[in-house]
Amino acid sequence: RPGAVGEDGAGALLLEEPFDRAWRRVGLALDRVGFTVEDRDRSQGLYFVRYVDPKEAGKSEPGFFAKLFGGKDDTIGPVRYRIQVKAEAERAKVTVQNAQGAPEPGEAGQRIVKLLLDELK
């Protein structure tokens, strides 16, 4: 049964299962939750994902004419994250990182961990 753990303000999950199974389950959960997996590196345990916050989804795409004529630029596009699955003895730890690979503190990281936690139960 997965459990959420905090780490320097960034969210993390502990899964009571080996890396192979956790890697597969996290990949399926990312698909179901609505992330776009752009790339993956199994040897590093990394999923490179794109995510649009549902609160911002309506604002994400400017209209055709706004693009053409450079309308007001208050659009919020998809944000890139790294989801890392790391073996720890007989368990696996899942963490959310920003696009540069640093831990993702704050509301977005916590929300992603909660989405994954709910999906992996």
Side-chain angles (χ1 to χ4, degrees):
R1 187 173 176 124
V5 294
E7 187 172 284
D8 300 330
L13 288 174
L14 281 178
L15 302 176
E16 297 291 332
E17 53 197 44
F19 173 82
D20 291 341
R21 182 168 159 74
W23 172 260
R24 187 172 52 253
R25 288 188 63 215
V26 168
L28 292 170
L30 288 169
D31 286 341
R32 286 192 302 263
V33 172
F35 287 86
T36 301
V37 177
E38 295 184 326
D39 200 5
R40 54 180 55 89
D41 180 347
R42 193 174 188 285
S43 66
Q44 298 289 314
L46 289 172
Y47 285 98
F48 297 88
V49 300
R50 209 174 56 218
Y51 177 66
V52 176
D53 187 326
K55 291 189 228 170
E56 305 295 337
K59 304 177 195 173
S60 65
E61 285 297 318
F64 173 75
F65 288 106
K67 285 183 194 172
L68 193 60
F69 296 112
K72 211 168 110 183
D73 191 21
D74 62 353
T75 59
I76 310 276
V79 181
R80 285 174 171 75
Y81 295 100
R82 295 179 184 187
I83 309 296
Q84 184 174 45
V85 181
K86 190 174 179 184
E88 287 191 352
E90 293 301 309
R91 302 187 303 186
K93 183 175 178 181
V94 181
T95 54
V96 179
Q97 303 172 350
N98 64 22
Q100 291 72 41
E104 177 60 47
E107 195 178 322
Q110 297 291 334
R111 191 165 41 248
I112 292 168
V113 165
K114 176 148 180 20
L115 285 170
L116 288 173
L117 179 63
D118 291 345
E119 194 60 41
L120 291 166
K121 281 185 179 175

